[in-house]
Structures are given as C-alpha cells and as structure tokens.
Amino acid sequence: MRRAKLVPRWRGKRALRSAQVLDDVVNAQVALLPQLSPEARQRSADHLAEMVMLGQAYRHYAAGWISRRELERRGKAALRRMESTKRPPLEQLTERE
C-alpha cells in the first residue's frame, strides 16, 4: 500500500477534532445501550461501532497513513452500512371508525 502524502497541519488538526467529536458522541451514547430493547440495542451498537471506526480513519488521515480520498471512501462506506441497519418504517396508524 502506498503511503499517503503529508497532510497539511490545519487539515490534520481538523481531522483530529472530528475524531474527538465522534469519540464524544460514542462515549455519551454507549451508556444508554442497556436501556434499549434488544433490537434497538443491536442497531445502536452497530452504529456506534461504525462511528468508532470512522474516528480511527480520521486519525489515520491526520497521521498521513491514508489519503483524503481513502478517508472519503471510508466515510461513505460507513454511512452506507449505517443506512442499511436503519430502523424499519413504522406502520402507519389509522383511526378506526
């Protein structure tokens, strides 16, 4: 695998801040998992795991280990995986006459 180019300092700092935001969200939400139903807990845990992996990708980008293009590819892949585990639509409730 080819080594990515050096990341400009400001982009590296911004990437590290993005990773920290993702970490903060995960840390805040992980404590709520036990309160959820088993189905919702699994779905939420999957989403949080994707966010952890995306945060790691931001750190790899900041270190110059992956390119901006690779970071973008990983971000899009994470979003696709999270969208595929979305909650199924609720049945529309209708009023009985």
Side-chain angles (χ1 to χ4, degrees), residues 34-96:
Q35 300 170 15
L36 300 174
S37 69
E39 180 184 309
R41 184 180 317 129
Q42 182 62 52
R43 189 174 51 252
S44 295
D46 290 344
H47 286 189
L48 294 176
E50 290 294 338
M51 291 168 53
V52 168
M53 291 189 308
L54 187 56
Q56 190 63 37
Y58 274 100
R59 286 185 188 82
H60 289 172
Y61 171 71
W65 297 343
I66 63 172
S67 67
R68 188 167 50 167
R69 183 176 291 171
E70 177 62 15
L71 175 62
E72 185 176 326
R73 187 194 69 76
R74 291 181 187 192
K76 287 179 180 179
L79 285 175
R80 277 194 307 273
R81 287 188 297 267
M82 284 193 279
E83 286 175 353
S84 72
T85 60
K86 271 187 180 176
R87 182 177 181 180
L90 295 175
E91 292 180 25
Q92 185 176 7
L93 299 176
T94 57
E95 219 177 293
R96 291 185 182 183

Side-chain angles (χ1 to χ4, degrees), residues 7-25:
V7 177
R9 186 179 209 152
W10 66 272
R11 284 190 177 159
K13 286 184 176 183
R14 187 169 65 181
L16 290 175
R17 282 194 306 271
S18 296
Q20 185 59 54
V21 167
L22 289 167
D23 289 345
D24 292 345
V25 169

Side-chain angles (χ1 to χ4, degrees), residues 25-34 48:
V25 169
V26 169
N27 289 335
Q29 297 299 312
V30 77
L32 301 176
L33 288 178
L48 294 176

